[in-house]
Amino acid sequence: MTSTDPTTALDLELAAAGLDPRAVSAAVAAAVAEDLPGEDVTSAATLDPARTAWADLVARADGVVAGLAVAELVFRAVVGPDVEVRRSAADGDRVVRGDVLLSVHGAVPALLTAERTALNFLCHLSGVATATSRWVDALAGTGARVRDTRKTTPGFRALEKYAVRCGGGLNHRATLSDQALVKDNHVLAAGGVVPAYRAVRARYPGLPVQVEVTTLDQLRELLDAGAPEILLDNMSTAQMAEAVRVTAGRARLEASGGLTLERAREVASTGVDLIAVGAITHSAPVLDVAMDLRPGGTGREPAS
């Protein structure tokens, strides 16, 4: 295998994007197997197996693209080594309805077999990127940045967090081991925000730690204890503004809890540094993308 091999190039691209190529390939293989436990009976019955054609993946709505390499992996897995793929866009690009994102050439039955799996990845990840970009746009010109959460589809966290980056957002921790996040139940069990914070700091002195607060009194306690990052949970706009005033730059503040895009600039105006939005991963609508087979005789003659 040479450095110009398409699969090697895709592995390098995925690694450069912060993804594990083996994990992505495994996800693609599992998705293909889910859709294809046997034969694609419709394509087998209706299509000439020798016929080849080009097909275009076309945006049906405006948005931000993510997942082109994953879609390409699907086509390469299903169509095989003779497939030809040409991209007309890159992950992170803003596209409009009618834009061609990717074109693929190969045996028509195999193209149609791969179609839905490729689109499932591309539409979902582009949907996450697009949802994120709307928050980025809403916060433009403020000092606040949108950040994701661990509210992700099981098994797809790395891909969804990658899509958040494509949309211009920031990632919070990827796993429970990356960073400590002390939430209300931890606080209750530990006997308060400061004991919980100090317990984490004592056991993991070099690990980033964030503590959730619901009151300004808890905030003041943590500031006195030297906590560097504090999550303001379900606070009103007035409370957040007061929290920023009290903090006076001594800690990084993140707003969280039921925040909507309509309130984005209102929340940012309080002076918080980050806005946590679980909806950009757990509730992002897909970006509508379709595969259009280019015109030409692709069918199989009915049996006599």
Side-chain angles (χ1 to χ4, degrees):
M1 185 176 290
T2 68
S3 61
T4 57
D5 181 272
T7 304
T8 301
L10 280 172
D11 285 350
L12 292 172
E13 179 182 352
L14 292 168
L19 296 166
D20 181 348
R22 291 174 298 178
V24 176
S25 294
V28 166
V32 170
E34 178 182 54
D35 212 25
L36 200 65
E39 188 175 39
D40 176 357
V41 295
T42 311
S43 293
T46 62
L47 301 173
D48 179 354
R51 181 73 65 177
T52 62
W54 280 98
D56 299 314
L57 272 59
V58 182
R60 294 285 187 261
D62 301 353
V64 176
V65 180
L68 287 170
V70 187
E72 181 174 338
L73 270 177
V74 174
F75 284 111
R76 293 196 180 281
V78 175
V79 182
D82 293 332
V83 69
E84 184 176 354
V85 180
R86 297 177 183 171
R87 297 192 208 173
S88 304
D91 284 358
D93 282 355
R94 291 179 180 250
V95 297
V96 298
R97 177 183 173 88
D99 281 353
V100 174
L101 310 181
L102 179 150
S103 300
V104 59
H105 182 270
V108 173
L111 292 179
L112 298 190
T113 297
E115 174 185 2
R116 178 42 51 197
T117 301
L119 289 176
N120 282 347
F121 279 109
L122 184 60
C123 293
H124 174 59
L125 296 178
S126 296
V128 171
T130 299
T132 303
S133 73
R134 291 183 179 134
W135 277 88
V136 171
D137 291 346
L139 295 174
T142 74
R145 299 286 303 277
V146 63
R147 188 156 74 162
D148 61 21
T149 70
R150 284 172 44 251
K151 296 176 182 177
T152 54
T153 307
F156 280 78
R157 179 173 298 163
L159 284 170
E160 290 176 345
K161 282 181 171 284
Y162 165 68
V164 167
R165 298 195 297 274
C166 288
L170 301 178
N171 293 148
H172 201 291
R173 59 182 180 167
T175 74
L176 291 170
S177 303
D178 298 343
Q179 173 182 338
L181 173 53
V182 179
K183 295 181 68 64
D184 53 352
N185 284 326
H186 301 105
V187 170
L188 183 65
V193 289
V194 172
Y197 167 67
R198 286 177 174 162
V200 173
R201 183 52 68 233
R203 181 156 182 169
Y204 304 104
L207 196 70
V209 56
Q210 182 181 42
V211 185
E212 178 184 279
V213 302
T214 56
T215 70
L216 293 174
D217 285 341
Q218 290 178 320
L219 172 70
R220 293 185 180 94
E221 291 176 37
L222 283 171
L223 291 172
D224 290 342
E229 189 166 327
I230 300 171
L231 187 72
L232 309 177
D233 184 51
N234 282 296
M235 286 191 176
S236 67
T237 303
Q239 286 175 311
M240 284 187 274
E242 179 62 11
V244 171
R245 188 193 69 78
V246 168
T247 301
R250 288 179 287 168
R252 189 160 71 155
L253 299 181
E254 182 169 19
S256 177
L259 303 176
T260 63
L261 190 59
E262 291 71 26
R263 289 188 62 209
R265 293 194 74 85
E266 173 191 328
V267 173
S269 71
T270 66
V272 294
D273 303 288
L274 299 162
I275 297 178
V277 183
I280 57 178
T281 51
H282 72 62
S283 297
V286 299
L287 179 66
D288 189 6
V289 180
M291 189 177 89
D292 295 336
L293 203 64
R294 293 184 190 174
T298 58
R300 162 178 269 161
E301 289 297 322
S304 57

